[in-house]
Amino acid sequence: MTVLSVVTAIHPGALPYLGAAYQSLTSQVLPDGWTWEWCIQEDGVDVGARAALPDPTDPRIHIGSSRKGGPAVARTMALARSTGSLIKVLDADDELTAGALARDISALEAHPRIGWTTSRVLDLMPDGSLQEFEGDPAPGLIPREAVLTHWREHHRPQVHPATLCVRRDLVMLLGGWMALPASEDTGLLTALSVISEGYFTREPGLRYRKHPGQSTAHPDHGQGAEWAARMSIIEARADALAALINHS
């Protein structure tokens, strides 16, 4: 069997949503010859992920813990324990839509030259309603550096990094997620777009939960000195990669 590794960082504030994430994962139907593993990494000791799961004995679930370091550190530690040829991001408070993993696998198998996939997102509001995300690109192949170009113009990703599925060798090449307090997934996606073409699936692949405890609700997330530093280093790394590749 070929393994797809689902990587999830978990902190105490997201524990109430972990069961819904698990249900969305167990409902996935994968192509023949594929299976998934779920690498959950607790960001800190005694977070309590196992107790928050409906079936903690599921042999496909692998829970680890490490010193508190934020989502970038936790995801990269989970990556170290993963075995899959594909790495799929799933935040602990989000939910996969039906068929999301199969669509990722199909796109990567159909287009051997691409390194990653993303998909459309539906915002899951506190009242349970779903709202569409505006500004998606056309479905299909995303040229190399297109995400970086969009980033330079808008300082927001062209596609949603919370839907990322990526070939293992590429995420290893880039060292996992950027060591940032936030936007670490955007930093990885932007760098990936420089070294490889990608793919965007029009069908929604994720229900992105909106709630007061999420990291994007922090007052420093979209403004101030920290925001400026994050934007600067994300672009600088992508520019350095582009210069290296284009002049080699």
Side-chain angles (χ1 to χ4, degrees):
M1 297 289 282
T2 306
V3 177
L4 180 150
S5 297
V6 180
V7 169
T8 297
I10 180 71
H11 63 92
L15 286 175
Y17 312 112
L18 192 62
Y22 173 72
Q23 297 293 349
S24 76
L25 184 52
T26 57
S27 69
Q28 299 294 307
V29 179
L30 271 60
D32 290 343
W34 283 85
T35 189
W36 55 261
E37 65 175 4
W38 196 12
C39 298
I40 300 172
Q41 189 73 19
E42 296 181 328
D43 185 25
V45 297
D46 299 325
V47 171
R50 189 171 301 278
L53 290 168
D55 183 9
T57 64
D58 188 328
R60 298 168 294 182
I61 299 175
H62 312 294
I63 301 175
S65 63
S66 52
R67 289 176 290 174
K68 187 172 178 60
V73 171
R75 289 197 192 101
T76 303
M77 292 296 289
L79 175 67
R81 297 187 292 105
S82 68
T83 64
S85 60
L86 301 179
I87 306 298
K88 174 68 174 180
V89 174
L90 176 60
D91 288 350
D93 51 1
D94 293 340
E95 302 172 8
L96 298 170
T97 63
L101 297 187
R103 290 189 291 270
D104 288 333
I105 292 169
S106 295
L108 288 159
E109 287 187 330
H111 304 280
R113 73 178 185 272
I114 69 171
W116 51 273
T117 69
T118 53
S119 66
R120 189 164 160 246
V121 165
L122 298 175
D123 286 342
L124 177 57
M125 308 307 291
D127 64 1
S129 63
L130 296 173
Q131 295 184 6
E132 294 190 9
F133 180 82
E134 299 295 332
D136 289 328
L141 295 174
I142 299 178
R144 195 171 64 81
E145 295 193 34
V147 173
L148 174 58
T149 299
H150 190 276
W151 175 258
R152 287 197 184 102
E153 295 174 356
H154 304 283
H155 272 171
R156 64 176 179 82
Q158 182 188 28
V159 289
H160 208 303
T163 67
L164 180 67
C165 185
V166 56
R167 298 191 193 277
R168 182 184 188 85
D169 57 348
L170 293 186
V171 71
M172 289 296 185
L173 177 66
L174 293 172
W177 285 262
M178 287 191 77
L180 296 172
S183 307
E184 72 291 331
D185 50 0
T186 298
L188 175 59
L189 173 62
T190 306
L192 284 168
S193 79
V194 172
I195 63 176
S196 173
E197 293 176 87
Y199 192 90
F200 178 73
T201 301
R202 179 61 182 167
E203 293 88 345
L206 189 74
R207 292 185 290 272
Y208 182 77
R209 190 183 302 274
K210 296 285 192 177
H211 62 96
Q214 65 188 144
S215 61
T216 54
H218 193 282
D220 292 339
H221 188 77
Q223 60 183 356
E226 181 196 287
W227 174 84
R230 295 198 322 267
M231 301 304 102
S232 175
I233 197 66
I234 287 171
E235 185 171 0
R237 182 173 78 154
D239 284 341
L241 284 168
L244 180 66
I245 293 171
N246 295 333
H247 292 91
S248 61

